[in-house]
Amino acid sequence: MKRLAVLTSGGDAPGMNAAIRAVVRSAAARGVAVEGVMNGFAGLAAGECQPLDDRAVGGILQRGGTILGTRRFPSFCDVVVQEAVVERLRTANIEGLVVIGGNGSQQGALALHRLGFPVIGVASTIDNDLAGTEVTIGVDTALNTATTCIDRLKDTASSHHRAFIVEVMGRNSGYLALMSAVAAGVEMVVVPEFPTDAEAVAADVEATYARGKAHYIAAVAEGAQLSARALAAYLQEHPRGFEARLTVLGHLQRGGSPTVRDRLLASLLSVAAVEALLGGHSGEVIGWRHGEPAAIPMEVAVEPCCKVTPELMELAAVLAR
Ligand code: F6P
């Protein structure tokens, strides 16, 4: 293989730049040129590429976001668009592709693999919703951000004896909400995986107030059936001791300089991805298992997965006493 391409896709995740850097430099060390595709699969379809050498990826390791840009691109589900992309890649003498992204991005990668184009994925999303990998790039940084924000809310919540309903990112997965809840020590976790209703939370608010706690924090995943907004409104209409406020952390959780853990994870996974591609592999996502990079068949990686277990939910509840 003489030339490969790399793209970042879906929601950006802190550590994507470290991953791009590792792809470029490990490929260069093997004498392979790298094209950077701008704006994910949309840029791939439009032929937006630029050569990346060792110097082009200098100074980006510690930067959040992605220097290549990213985009949501639903049109990539169309097989006509996929075939045109394969044709374009072949015409440009690109022999392999590294896709840095989460679940939706790896579904796009799988489509190209099925059309016979060599593709390797790098597991990268703050949602940690890829199967077969313990963790994905960006999770650690996002968790640190969410936890720090909740710590701050606790300060003001305790001072005013208030309840704060905090919306944490995660469209289909409650992982970020649950883990930041445990790390910050909150009273209630509401996730899509274990539905609850507003009255059950309100009863818990009341019991917590009666136990003499100074505050009540509920971490609500973005994708929970009981939304943070609806829960806050219910508690404002039916007050149970604590006055309620709503805070949506939103995209704050996607930005920022990656933690050391995310930089290392991104570097190790991306070097392994280039090795896999140059070793003739395709249709695999490189994730992390048992303390090292692991190749997961793409079909497996994109299956629905649940890292929010009843045991973790129970642990969060016990620690919230
Ligand atoms: O990248 C994952 C994620 O941050 C989800 O947690 C969230 O639901 C979604 O992306 C938000 O997407 P967008 O930035 O397109 O609004």
Side-chain angles (χ1 to χ4, degrees), residues 9-13 72 124-127 129 168-173 176 222-223 250-251 253-254:
S9 164
D12 59 349
R72 308 272 183 205
S124 180
T125 162
I126 67 162
D127 285 354
D129 62 351
V168 180
M169 263 191 170
R171 197 169 16 211
N172 304 310
S173 161
L176 265 189
E222 189 189 359
H251 290 78
Q253 296 156 102
R254 284 233 299 259

Side-chain angles (χ1 to χ4, degrees), residues 4 23 35 44 74-75 118 260 291:
L4 61 82
V23 167
E35 291 285 320
L44 193 58
S75 312
V260 170

Side-chain angles (χ1 to χ4, degrees), residues 39-54:
N39 305 317
F41 287 103
L44 193 58
E48 296 169 7
C49 292
Q50 62 180 53
L52 294 175
D53 61 12
D54 289 338

